C-alpha cells in the first residue's frame, strides 16, 4: 500500500472531480527521480498548465516505485534457466537489473513512461478503493 497524506488525497480528489471522473484525462506533465523520491506533476489533458507550479505535485518514495516495478515484472522477463548442478532447463523470471537501476539505465523511454503511468494508476486505484471501502464501514 502506497502511503498518501490526507492533504494529497484531498488534492487528488479535486483533480479527479475536475476531470469529471475520467481518469484518462489525467496526464503526467513532467517527472523527476532521485535516490529518495519520484516526483510526478499531474494535470488535466484538457486544461494544460503554463508551468509546473500550477500542476499537482505528487511525491512518491523511490522504494515504493521500485516495489511497483518489481511487482509488475517490468524489470524482468520470462525465460529459461539452466540449473547449476543438475543440468536441466526450467522456466523462470529473469531479472534484468534491480528495479531503479533498470528504470534509470536499461529501460527504453517508453518503458519508463509505462512505469510512471503504472505508478499513477496504482495510486488512483488505491485512492478510489480505500475511499469506497471507507464509505461502506
Amino acid at each position: 500500500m502506497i502511503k498518501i497524506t490526507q492533504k494529497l488525497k484531498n488534492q487528488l480528489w479535486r483533480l479527479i472531480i475536475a476531470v469529471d471522473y475520467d481518469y484518462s484525462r489525467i496526464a503526467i506533465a513532467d517527472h523527476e527521480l532521485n535516490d529518495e523520491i519520484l516526483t510526478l506533476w499531474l494535470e488535466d489533458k484538457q486544461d494544460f498548465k503554463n508551468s509546473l507550479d500550477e500542476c499537482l505535485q505528487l511525491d512518491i518514495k523511490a522504494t515504493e516505485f521500485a516495489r511497483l516495478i518489481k511487482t509488475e515484472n517490468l524489470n524482468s522477463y520470462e525465460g529459461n534457466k539452466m540449473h547449476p548442478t543438475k543440468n536441466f532447463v526450467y522456466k523462470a523470471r529473469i531479472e534484468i537489473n534491480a528495479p531503479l537501476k533498470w528504470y534509470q539505465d536499461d529501460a527504453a523511454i517508453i518503458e519508463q513512461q509505462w512505469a510512471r503511468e503504472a505508478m499513477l494508476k496504482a495510486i488512483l486505484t488505491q485512492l478510489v478503493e480505500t475511499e469506497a471501502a471507507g464509505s461502506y464501514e
Side-chain angles (χ1 to χ4, degrees):
M1 177 158 297
I2 302 163
K3 293 184 181 179
I4 306 171
T5 65
Q6 188 60 45
K7 179 182 177 186
L8 187 55
K9 283 182 186 180
N10 294 341
Q11 292 172 329
L12 281 168
W13 275 116
R14 274 188 237 120
L15 179 61
I16 290 169
I17 291 167
V19 298
D20 295 326
Y21 298 93
D22 182 1
Y23 303 107
S24 65
R25 282 180 46 187
I26 298 174
I28 299 173
D30 201 1
H31 65 279
E32 185 177 298
L33 176 66
N34 61 34
D35 293 338
E36 297 176 19
I37 293 182
L38 168 69
T39 303
L40 301 176
W41 285 275
L42 307 177
E43 67 182 340
D44 181 353
K45 287 181 184 176
Q46 294 182 5
D47 183 24
F48 285 110
K49 307 298 182 201
N50 292 326
S51 72
L52 293 179
D53 293 334
E54 298 176 54
C55 295
L56 173 59
Q57 182 178 335
L58 179 60
D59 290 329
I60 303 141
K61 290 183 181 177
T63 54
E64 292 176 349
F65 185 49
R67 186 178 325 124
L68 176 104
I69 290 171
K70 188 166 183 68
T71 302
E72 297 286 326
N73 294 321
L74 297 175
N75 67 323
S76 63
Y77 61 94
E78 182 86 19
N80 295 322
K81 279 187 165 181
M82 172 74 85
H83 192 278
T85 57
K86 298 185 181 176
N87 292 331
F88 66 88
V89 177
Y90 61 97
K91 288 192 182 277
R93 291 236 42 104
I94 299 170
E95 188 175 88
I96 299 166
N97 214 335
L100 292 179
K101 288 290 273 177
W102 169 83
Y103 177 83
Q104 293 171 327
D105 300 337
D106 301 318
I109 291 172
I110 191 72
E111 291 172 318
Q112 291 176 348
Q113 181 180 345
W114 291 338
R116 292 188 303 270
E117 289 173 357
M119 188 79 241
L120 176 59
K121 180 182 176 190
I123 288 171
L124 293 174
T125 301
Q126 176 185 319
L127 178 69
V128 170
E129 287 178 352
T130 56
E131 295 295 317
S135 66
Y136 288 117
E137 292 176 357

